[in-house]
Amino acid sequence: MTIIVTGGAGFIGSNFIFHILKKYPDYRVICLDKLTYAGNLSTLKSVLDKPNFRFVKADICDRAAVYQLFEEEKPDVVVNFAAESHVDRSIEDPGIFLQTNIIGTATLMDACRKYKIKRFHQVSTDEVYGDLPLDRPDLFFTENTPIHTSSPYSSSKASADLLVLAYYRTYGLPVSISRCSNNYGPYHFPEKLIPLMIANALNHKPLPVYGTGENVRDWLYVEDHCKAIDLIIHKGRVGEVYNVGGHNEMTNIDIVKLICKELHMSESLITYVSDRKGHDLRYAIDPTKIHNELGWLPETKFADGIKKTIQWYLDNREWWETIISGEYQNYYEKMYGNR
């Protein structure tokens, strides 16, 4: 089988490539990535020389480049991780999110139609559902929860999801969609909460927390997410949406305090900054459908996963320090410097 993985030099995409190459050594995997600020070719260093792996630098919005790749590789499956994904950046500059997340997805699906793909899988997010109240722990997102977006980022992802389902209904394109809760683990770009706090704590820098830090997220170790997508593309029903979640809700402030404890750092580093515009209160996924249909359950307990994640950042300082010393630093100052 030949799989094209878009956005494979990013956080979840790279972990998915590692998973597939390890589990299916006879598969051919092609990574298509534009290498924007969040794409890092050094992440894929361990697989670049494998005979059944190919890296192609291109934009999923570039129709000519996408079609040429499909012509060369005749893929069986496409898994689309490629996306602009940071909420704060979408508030600052919505346009690039609409371009990549909507037009790019359409471009890929047009190629899938032309080259008779066996499965197009769209990697989406639980953020398309909006948020849940903090005082209703009994409420969860299901696949039937209405879409109710809060940010330009989540709106662009919801738009892509609707387009994917429209291509299934209109053209019969064999598609599937997964909507996952917050991921954490190795190679997580250091602008997101957990790696940002680890990196700042290790450098004895302030730990900026939005508002009061009471916002709740459902955390899932990235390897468990990759296993869920693996199941969906091989055994999931065409035309279906699958929610993927960890049943592991934690407030942002508790996450930060846990990281301080694991690193033996003082909580005095925690600094509260003005809240994000339209900040969602709580995300919580009900993964009953994927469990009942495909037998998936998260395997990594958060207490174990966060220890593994922290250790990975301790063991791979060069990877994230190189990122922080570059363009990311200018962005960091812009976002947090005057709050």
Side-chain angles (χ1 to χ4, degrees):
M1 183 182 285
T2 297
I3 302 179
I4 289 180
V5 179
T6 68
F11 166 43
I12 307 175
S14 61
N15 278 280
F16 180 72
I17 287 173
F18 300 148
H19 169 78
I20 292 294
L21 288 172
K22 182 178 179 181
K23 185 176 178 181
Y24 307 101
D26 57 332
Y27 281 20
R28 178 166 172 77
V29 177
I30 297 94
C31 173
L32 172 64
D33 200 296
K34 187 181 177 182
L35 294 182
T36 60
Y37 76 94
N40 191 338
L41 193 56
S42 69
T43 299
L44 298 170
K45 184 168 56 176
S46 65
V47 299
L48 286 174
D49 293 332
K50 284 185 175 291
N52 59 332
F53 177 76
R54 178 187 176 192
F55 176 81
V56 177
K57 183 181 179 182
D59 186 341
I60 61 170
C61 298
D62 184 341
R63 190 171 293 268
V66 169
Y67 277 46
Q68 180 180 338
L69 180 61
F70 275 62
E71 181 68 39
E72 292 170 357
E73 295 290 350
K74 304 293 193 298
D76 301 292
V77 174
V78 173
V79 182
N80 183 30
F81 290 96
E84 296 287 341
S85 66
H86 195 260
V87 174
D88 289 338
R89 287 180 182 265
S90 79
I91 294 170
E92 291 291 312
D93 182 14
I96 185 63
F97 284 74
L98 308 183
Q99 183 71 20
T100 299
N101 297 356
I102 303 173
I103 303 302
T105 300
T107 302
L108 289 170
M109 288 194 296
D110 286 341
C112 288
R113 287 175 57 213
K114 179 177 180 180
Y115 291 93
K116 304 293 189 287
I117 204 82
K118 293 177 182 176
R119 175 68 65 94
F120 174 83
H121 182 75
Q122 174 73 0
V123 181
S124 188
T125 171
D126 59 353
E127 295 190 41
V128 302
Y129 297 123
D131 63 354
L132 297 165
L134 294 175
D135 59 354
R136 290 293 305 277
D138 56 312
L139 295 180
F140 296 89
F141 297 138
T142 72
E143 289 82 0
N144 295 319
T145 300
I147 285 175
H148 186 71
T149 58
S150 304
S151 68
Y153 161 60
S154 58
S155 297
S156 68
K157 292 295 288 184
S159 300
D161 286 5
L162 293 174
L163 200 59
V164 170
L165 295 174
Y167 269 60
Y168 168 64
R169 179 163 180 172
T170 302
Y171 304 113
L173 186 69
V175 305
S176 51
I177 298 172
S178 56
R179 293 173 179 157
C180 192
S181 57
N182 284 41
N183 280 215
Y184 68 101
Y187 298 107
H188 202 174
F189 191 76
E191 71 182 353
K192 303 299 180 78
L193 178 70
I194 288 178
L196 173 65
M197 297 304 152
I198 295 172
N200 276 20
L202 290 174
N203 287 321
H204 300 279
K205 294 172 65 175
L207 309 180
V209 176
Y210 283 134
T212 60
E214 298 303 314
N215 304 71
V216 172
R217 299 294 181 260
D218 178 11
W219 292 94
L220 182 70
Y221 194 61
V222 65
E223 286 182 8
D224 289 333
H225 185 192
C226 294
K227 291 174 182 177
I229 296 172
D230 177 4
L231 280 170
I232 294 169
I233 63 175
H234 286 94
K235 298 179 180 179
R237 289 185 290 145
V238 169
E240 292 294 316
V241 175
Y242 293 92
N243 281 353
V244 183
H247 271 316
N248 186 76
E249 295 178 54
M250 294 189 70
T251 64
N252 289 347
I253 189 61
D254 284 344
I255 291 277
V256 178
K257 288 180 177 179
L258 179 59
I259 291 170
C260 288
K261 181 181 178 182
E262 289 292 331
L263 291 173
H264 307 291
M265 297 290 179
S266 170
E267 291 183 8
S268 64
L269 288 172
I270 296 172
T271 305
Y272 295 95
V273 299
S274 56
D275 210 351
R276 167 192 289 163
K277 297 174 183 176
H279 199 174
D280 286 337
L281 295 175
R282 172 176 170 255
Y283 302 150
I285 284 273
D286 179 356
T288 299
K289 179 177 176 178
I290 190 172
H291 173 60
N292 288 345
E293 289 192 16
L294 304 178
W296 179 88
L297 280 175
E299 299 173 17
T300 309
K301 294 179 180 178
F302 187 79
D304 298 327
I306 194 67
K307 283 185 172 66
K308 286 200 290 185
T309 300
I310 290 172
Q311 190 60 51
W312 187 89
Y313 279 86
L314 287 169
D315 293 340
N316 294 272
R317 289 188 73 126
E318 183 182 359
W319 182 86
W320 54 266
E321 284 179 343
T322 300
I323 295 171
I324 290 175
S325 66
E327 183 271 343
Y328 171 74
Q329 187 61 42
N330 298 327
Y331 167 74
Y332 180 88
E333 291 298 327
K334 180 181 178 183
M335 293 310 303
Y336 294 111
N338 297 316
R339 300 181 82 138

mmCIF file with all atom_site columns, all heavy atoms in Angstrom, residues 117-133:
data_model
loop_
_atom_site.group_PDB
_atom_site.id
_atom_site.type_symbol
_atom_site.label_atom_id
_atom_site.label_alt_id
_atom_site.label_comp_id
_atom_site.label_asym_id
_atom_site.label_entity_id
_atom_site.label_seq_id
_atom_site.pdbx_PDB_ins_code
_atom_site.Cartn_x
_atom_site.Cartn_y
_atom_site.Cartn_z
_atom_site.occupancy
_atom_site.B_iso_or_equiv
_atom_site.pdbx_formal_charge
_atom_site.auth_seq_id
_atom_site.auth_comp_id
_atom_site.auth_asym_id
_atom_site.auth_atom_id
_atom_site.pdbx_PDB_model_num
ATOM 1   N N   . ILE A 1 117 ? -8.598  7.342  -5.621 1.00 0.00 ? 117 ILE A N   1
ATOM 2   C CA  . ILE A 1 117 ? -8.038  6.969  -4.328 1.00 0.00 ? 117 ILE A CA  1
ATOM 3   C C   . ILE A 1 117 ? -8.968  5.997  -3.594 1.00 0.00 ? 117 ILE A C   1
ATOM 4   O O   . ILE A 1 117 ? -10.186 6.043  -3.762 1.00 0.00 ? 117 ILE A O   1
ATOM 5   C CB  . ILE A 1 117 ? -7.801  8.250  -3.478 1.00 0.00 ? 117 ILE A CB  1
ATOM 6   C CG1 . ILE A 1 117 ? -6.719  8.022  -2.417 1.00 0.00 ? 117 ILE A CG1 1
ATOM 7   C CG2 . ILE A 1 117 ? -9.086  8.721  -2.818 1.00 0.00 ? 117 ILE A CG2 1
ATOM 8   C CD1 . ILE A 1 117 ? -5.359  8.174  -2.947 1.00 0.00 ? 117 ILE A CD1 1
ATOM 9   N N   . LYS A 1 118 ? -8.396  5.109  -2.768 1.00 0.00 ? 118 LYS A N   1
ATOM 10  C CA  . LYS A 1 118 ? -9.219  4.170  -1.998 1.00 0.00 ? 118 LYS A CA  1
ATOM 11  C C   . LYS A 1 118 ? -9.753  4.777  -0.710 1.00 0.00 ? 118 LYS A C   1
ATOM 12  O O   . LYS A 1 118 ? -10.803 4.361  -0.203 1.00 0.00 ? 118 LYS A O   1
ATOM 13  C CB  . LYS A 1 118 ? -8.398  2.918  -1.676 1.00 0.00 ? 118 LYS A CB  1
ATOM 14  C CG  . LYS A 1 118 ? -8.045  2.090  -2.906 1.00 0.00 ? 118 LYS A CG  1
ATOM 15  C CD  . LYS A 1 118 ? -7.186  0.905  -2.536 1.00 0.00 ? 118 LYS A CD  1
ATOM 16  C CE  . LYS A 1 118 ? -6.798  0.106  -3.784 1.00 0.00 ? 118 LYS A CE  1
ATOM 17  N NZ  . LYS A 1 118 ? -5.860  -1.010 -3.452 1.00 0.00 ? 118 LYS A NZ  1
ATOM 18  N N   . ARG A 1 119 ? -9.003  5.755  -0.145 1.00 0.00 ? 119 ARG A N   1
ATOM 19  C CA  . ARG A 1 119 ? -9.498  6.418  1.076  1.00 0.00 ? 119 ARG A CA  1
ATOM 20  C C   . ARG A 1 119 ? -8.806  7.769  1.236  1.00 0.00 ? 119 ARG A C   1
ATOM 21  O O   . ARG A 1 119 ? -7.578  7.857  1.160  1.00 0.00 ? 119 ARG A O   1
ATOM 22  C CB  . ARG A 1 119 ? -9.217  5.564  2.312  1.00 0.00 ? 119 ARG A CB  1
ATOM 23  C CG  . ARG A 1 119 ? -9.593  6.226  3.652  1.00 0.00 ? 119 ARG A CG  1
ATOM 24  C CD  . ARG A 1 119 ? -11.094 6.398  3.812  1.00 0.00 ? 119 ARG A CD  1
ATOM 25  N NE  . ARG A 1 119 ? -11.766 5.122  3.880  1.00 0.00 ? 119 ARG A NE  1
ATOM 26  C CZ  . ARG A 1 119 ? -12.074 4.498  5.021  1.00 0.00 ? 119 ARG A CZ  1
ATOM 27  N NH1 . ARG A 1 119 ? -11.775 5.028  6.181  1.00 0.00 ? 119 ARG A NH1 1
ATOM 28  N NH2 . ARG A 1 119 ? -12.698 3.318  4.987  1.00 0.00 ? 119 ARG A NH2 1
ATOM 29  N N   . PHE A 1 120 ? -9.615  8.794  1.445  1.00 0.00 ? 120 PHE A N   1
ATOM 30  C CA  . PHE A 1 120 ? -9.099  10.098 1.848  1.00 0.00 ? 120 PHE A CA  1
ATOM 31  C C   . PHE A 1 120 ? -9.521  10.315 3.288  1.00 0.00 ? 120 PHE A C   1
ATOM 32  O O   . PHE A 1 120 ? -10.723 10.331 3.602  1.00 0.00 ? 120 PHE A O   1
ATOM 33  C CB  . PHE A 1 120 ? -9.655  11.224 0.972  1.00 0.00 ? 120 PHE A CB  1
ATOM 34  C CG  . PHE A 1 120 ? -9.254  12.601 1.448  1.00 0.00 ? 120 PHE A CG  1
ATOM 35  C CD1 . PHE A 1 120 ? -8.019  13.135 1.106  1.00 0.00 ? 120 PHE A CD1 1
ATOM 36  C CD2 . PHE A 1 120 ? -10.093 13.350 2.267  1.00 0.00 ? 120 PHE A CD2 1
ATOM 37  C CE1 . PHE A 1 120 ? -7.625  14.401 1.568  1.00 0.00 ? 120 PHE A CE1 1
ATOM 38  C CE2 . PHE A 1 120 ? -9.714  14.610 2.723  1.00 0.00 ? 120 PHE A CE2 1
ATOM 39  C CZ  . PHE A 1 120 ? -8.482  15.135 2.369  1.00 0.00 ? 120 PHE A CZ  1
ATOM 40  N N   . HIS A 1 121 ? -8.531  10.480 4.175  1.00 0.00 ? 121 HIS A N   1
ATOM 41  C CA  . HIS A 1 121 ? -8.855  10.691 5.583  1.00 0.00 ? 121 HIS A CA  1
ATOM 42  C C   . HIS A 1 121 ? -8.488  12.110 6.006  1.00 0.00 ? 121 HIS A C   1
ATOM 43  O O   . HIS A 1 121 ? -7.337  12.535 5.851  1.00 0.00 ? 121 HIS A O   1
ATOM 44  C CB  . HIS A 1 121 ? -8.130  9.694  6.489  1.00 0.00 ? 121 HIS A CB  1
ATOM 45  C CG  . HIS A 1 121 ? -8.504  9.868  7.927  1.00 0.00 ? 121 HIS A CG  1
ATOM 46  N ND1 . HIS A 1 121 ? -9.714  9.455  8.436  1.00 0.00 ? 121 HIS A ND1 1
ATOM 47  C CD2 . HIS A 1 121 ? -7.857  10.476 8.952  1.00 0.00 ? 121 HIS A CD2 1
ATOM 48  C CE1 . HIS A 1 121 ? -9.793  9.784  9.717  1.00 0.00 ? 121 HIS A CE1 1
ATOM 49  N NE2 . HIS A 1 121 ? -8.678  10.405 10.052 1.00 0.00 ? 121 HIS A NE2 1
ATOM 50  N N   . GLN A 1 122 ? -9.472  12.797 6.548  1.00 0.00 ? 122 GLN A N   1
ATOM 51  C CA  . GLN A 1 122 ? -9.291  14.172 7.010  1.00 0.00 ? 122 GLN A CA  1
ATOM 52  C C   . GLN A 1 122 ? -9.084  14.182 8.517  1.00 0.00 ? 122 GLN A C   1
ATOM 53  O O   . GLN A 1 122 ? -9.931  13.715 9.282  1.00 0.00 ? 122 GLN A O   1
ATOM 54  C CB  . GLN A 1 122 ? -10.526 15.012 6.647  1.00 0.00 ? 122 GLN A CB  1
ATOM 55  C CG  . GLN A 1 122 ? -10.533 16.427 7.193  1.00 0.00 ? 122 GLN A CG  1
ATOM 56  C CD  . GLN A 1 122 ? -9.553  17.350 6.484  1.00 0.00 ? 122 GLN A CD  1
ATOM 57  O OE1 . GLN A 1 122 ? -8.851  16.951 5.561  1.00 0.00 ? 122 GLN A OE1 1
ATOM 58  N NE2 . GLN A 1 122 ? -9.519  18.593 6.902  1.00 0.00 ? 122 GLN A NE2 1
ATOM 59  N N   . VAL A 1 123 ? -7.938  14.699 8.950  1.00 0.00 ? 123 VAL A N   1
ATOM 60  C CA  . VAL A 1 123 ? -7.652  14.828 10.380 1.00 0.00 ? 123 VAL A CA  1
ATOM 61  C C   . VAL A 1 123 ? -8.202  16.173 10.850 1.00 0.00 ? 123 VAL A C   1
ATOM 62  O O   . VAL A 1 123 ? -7.692  17.229 10.487 1.00 0.00 ? 123 VAL A O   1
ATOM 63  C CB  . VAL A 1 123 ? -6.142  14.726 10.662 1.00 0.00 ? 123 VAL A CB  1
ATOM 64  C CG1 . VAL A 1 123 ? -5.877  14.842 12.166 1.00 0.00 ? 123 VAL A CG1 1
ATOM 65  C CG2 . VAL A 1 123 ? -5.583  13.418 10.116 1.00 0.00 ? 123 VAL A CG2 1
ATOM 66  N N   . SER A 1 124 ? -9.256  16.120 11.651 1.00 0.00 ? 124 SER A N   1
ATOM 67  C CA  . SER A 1 124 ? -9.914  17.338 12.105 1.00 0.00 ? 124 SER A CA  1
ATOM 68  C C   . SER A 1 124 ? -9.675  17.541 13.595 1.00 0.00 ? 124 SER A C   1
ATOM 69  O O   . SER A 1 124 ? -8.699  17.028 14.151 1.00 0.00 ? 124 SER A O   1
ATOM 70  C CB  . SER A 1 124 ? -11.409 17.277 11.765 1.00 0.00 ? 124 SER A CB  1
ATOM 71  O OG  . SER A 1 124 ? -12.039 18.517 12.027 1.00 0.00 ? 124 SER A OG  1
ATOM 72  N N   . THR A 1 125 ? -10.557 18.247 14.250 1.00 0.00 ? 125 THR A N   1
ATOM 73  C CA  . THR A 1 125 ? -10.349 18.650 15.641 1.00 0.00 ? 125 THR A CA  1
ATOM 74  C C   . THR A 1 125 ? -11.677 18.730 16.383 1.00 0.00 ? 125 THR A C   1
ATOM 75  O O   . THR A 1 125 ? -12.720 19.024 15.777 1.00 0.00 ? 125 THR A O   1
ATOM 76  C CB  . THR A 1 125 ? -9.649  20.021 15.708 1.00 0.00 ? 125 THR A CB  1
ATOM 77  O OG1 . THR A 1 125 ? -9.652  20.497 17.061 1.00 0.00 ? 125 THR A OG1 1
ATOM 78  C CG2 . THR A 1 125 ? -10.358 21.049 14.843 1.00 0.00 ? 125 THR A CG2 1
ATOM 79  N N   . ASP A 1 126 ? -11.629 18.492 17.692 1.00 0.00 ? 126 ASP A N   1
ATOM 80  C CA  . ASP A 1 126 ? -12.842 18.656 18.497 1.00 0.00 ? 126 ASP A CA  1
ATOM 81  C C   . ASP A 1 126 ? -13.272 20.121 18.597 1.00 0.00 ? 126 ASP A C   1
ATOM 82  O O   . ASP A 1 126 ? -14.400 20.419 18.996 1.00 0.00 ? 126 ASP A O   1
ATOM 83  C CB  . ASP A 1 126 ? -12.645 18.064 19.898 1.00 0.00 ? 126 ASP A CB  1
ATOM 84  C CG  . ASP A 1 126 ? -11.502 18.690 20.685 1.00 0.00 ? 126 ASP A CG  1
ATOM 85  O OD1 . ASP A 1 126 ? -10.758 19.509 20.121 1.00 0.00 ? 126 ASP A OD1 1
ATOM 86  O OD2 . ASP A 1 126 ? -11.333 18.338 21.871 1.00 0.00 ? 126 ASP A OD2 1
ATOM 87  N N   . GLU A 1 127 ? -12.395 21.033 18.192 1.00 0.00 ? 127 GLU A N   1
ATOM 88  C CA  . GLU A 1 127 ? -12.728 22.457 18.297 1.00 0.00 ? 127 GLU A CA  1
ATOM 89  C C   . GLU A 1 127 ? -13.859 22.874 17.361 1.00 0.00 ? 127 GLU A C   1
ATOM 90  O O   . GLU A 1 127 ? -14.438 23.941 17.530 1.00 0.00 ? 127 GLU A O   1
ATOM 91  C CB  . GLU A 1 127 ? -11.484 23.315 18.054 1.00 0.00 ? 127 GLU A CB  1
ATOM 92  C CG  . GLU A 1 127 ? -10.423 23.134 19.129 1.00 0.00 ? 127 GLU A CG  1
ATOM 93  C CD  . GLU A 1 127 ? -9.299  24.151 19.030 1.00 0.00 ? 127 GLU A CD  1
ATOM 94  O OE1 . GLU A 1 127 ? -9.580  25.335 18.763 1.00 0.00 ? 127 GLU A OE1 1
ATOM 95  O OE2 . GLU A 1 127 ? -8.143  23.751 19.216 1.00 0.00 ? 127 GLU A OE2 1
ATOM 96  N N   . VAL A 1 128 ? -14.187 22.035 16.368 1.00 0.00 ? 128 VAL A N   1
ATOM 97  C CA  . VAL A 1 128 ? -15.303 22.374 15.477 1.00 0.00 ? 128 VAL A CA  1
ATOM 98  C C   . VAL A 1 128 ? -16.631 22.375 16.232 1.00 0.00 ? 128 VAL A C   1
ATOM 99  O O   . VAL A 1 128 ? -17.605 22.976 15.775 1.00 0.00 ? 128 VAL A O   1
ATOM 100 C CB  . VAL A 1 128 ? -15.391 21.421 14.260 1.00 0.00 ? 128 VAL A CB  1
ATOM 101 C CG1 . VAL A 1 128 ? -14.100 21.450 13.464 1.00 0.00 ? 128 VAL A CG1 1
ATOM 102 C CG2 . VAL A 1 128 ? -15.751 20.007 14.672 1.00 0.00 ? 128 VAL A CG2 1
ATOM 103 N N   . TYR A 1 129 ? -16.682 21.719 17.388 1.00 0.00 ? 129 TYR A N   1
ATOM 104 C CA  . TYR A 1 129 ? -17.915 21.655 18.161 1.00 0.00 ? 129 TYR A CA  1
ATOM 105 C C   . TYR A 1 129 ? -18.114 22.870 19.072 1.00 0.00 ? 129 TYR A C   1
ATOM 106 O O   . TYR A 1 129 ? -19.133 22.959 19.757 1.00 0.00 ? 129 TYR A O   1
ATOM 107 C CB  . TYR A 1 129 ? -17.925 20.397 19.036 1.00 0.00 ? 129 TYR A CB  1
ATOM 108 C CG  . TYR A 1 129 ? -17.898 19.088 18.273 1.00 0.00 ? 129 TYR A CG  1
ATOM 109 C CD1 . TYR A 1 129 ? -16.886 18.152 18.515 1.00 0.00 ? 129 TYR A CD1 1
ATOM 110 C CD2 . TYR A 1 129 ? -18.871 18.769 17.338 1.00 0.00 ? 129 TYR A CD2 1
ATOM 111 C CE1 . TYR A 1 129 ? -16.855 16.942 17.842 1.00 0.00 ? 129 TYR A CE1 1
ATOM 112 C CE2 . TYR A 1 129 ? -18.846 17.556 16.660 1.00 0.00 ? 129 TYR A CE2 1
ATOM 113 C CZ  . TYR A 1 129 ? -17.833 16.652 16.908 1.00 0.00 ? 129 TYR A CZ  1
ATOM 114 O OH  . TYR A 1 129 ? -17.810 15.454 16.237 1.00 0.00 ? 129 TYR A OH  1
ATOM 115 N N   . GLY A 1 130 ? -17.135 23.775 19.121 1.00 0.00 ? 130 GLY A N   1
ATOM 116 C CA  . GLY A 1 130 ? -17.225 24.894 20.061 1.00 0.00 ? 130 GLY A CA  1
ATOM 117 C C   . GLY A 1 130 ? -16.759 24.465 21.427 1.00 0.00 ? 130 GLY A C   1
ATOM 118 O O   . GLY A 1 130 ? -15.759 23.772 21.566 1.00 0.00 ? 130 GLY A O   1
ATOM 119 N N   . ASP A 1 131 ? -17.476 24.860 22.466 1.00 0.00 ? 131 ASP A N   1
ATOM 120 C CA  . ASP A 1 131 ? -17.056 24.459 23.806 1.00 0.00 ? 131 ASP A CA  1
ATOM 121 C C   . ASP A 1 131 ? -18.253 24.041 24.649 1.00 0.00 ? 131 ASP A C   1
ATOM 122 O O   . ASP A 1 131 ? -19.410 24.176 24.247 1.00 0.00 ? 131 ASP A O   1
ATOM 123 C CB  . ASP A 1 131 ? -16.253 25.558 24.504 1.00 0.00 ? 131 ASP A CB  1
ATOM 124 C CG  . ASP A 1 131 ? -17.043 26.840 24.737 1.00 0.00 ? 131 ASP A CG  1
ATOM 125 O OD1 . ASP A 1 131 ? -18.194 26.933 24.266 1.00 0.00 ? 131 ASP A OD1 1
ATOM 126 O OD2 . ASP A 1 131 ? -16.514 27.757 25.391 1.00 0.00 ? 131 ASP A OD2 1
ATOM 127 N N   . LEU A 1 132 ? -17.936 23.507 25.824 1.00 0.00 ? 132 LEU A N   1
ATOM 128 C CA  . LEU A 1 132 ? -18.928 23.041 26.784 1.00 0.00 ? 132 LEU A CA  1
ATOM 129 C C   . LEU A 1 132 ? -18.790 23.858 28.072 1.00 0.00 ? 132 LEU A C   1
ATOM 130 O O   . LEU A 1 132 ? -17.703 24.350 28.391 1.00 0.00 ? 132 LEU A O   1
ATOM 131 C CB  . LEU A 1 132 ? -18.708 21.559 27.095 1.00 0.00 ? 132 LEU A CB  1
ATOM 132 C CG  . LEU A 1 132 ? -18.874 20.591 25.918 1.00 0.00 ? 132 LEU A CG  1
ATOM 133 C CD1 . LEU A 1 132 ? -18.281 19.225 26.276 1.00 0.00 ? 132 LEU A CD1 1
ATOM 134 C CD2 . LEU A 1 132 ? -20.330 20.454 25.528 1.00 0.00 ? 132 LEU A CD2 1
ATOM 135 N N   . PRO A 1 133 ? -19.879 24.001 28.846 1.00 0.00 ? 133 PRO A N   1
ATOM 136 C CA  . PRO A 1 133 ? -19.785 24.760 30.100 1.00 0.00 ? 133 PRO A CA  1
ATOM 137 C C   . PRO A 1 133 ? -18.953 24.017 31.139 1.00 0.00 ? 133 PRO A C   1
ATOM 138 O O   . PRO A 1 133 ? -18.937 22.781 31.184 1.00 0.00 ? 133 PRO A O   1
ATOM 139 C CB  . PRO A 1 133 ? -21.246 24.889 30.547 1.00 0.00 ? 133 PRO A CB  1
ATOM 140 C CG  . PRO A 1 133 ? -21.968 23.771 29.863 1.00 0.00 ? 133 PRO A CG  1
ATOM 141 C CD  . PRO A 1 133 ? -21.255 23.532 28.572 1.00 0.00 ? 133 PRO A CD  1
#
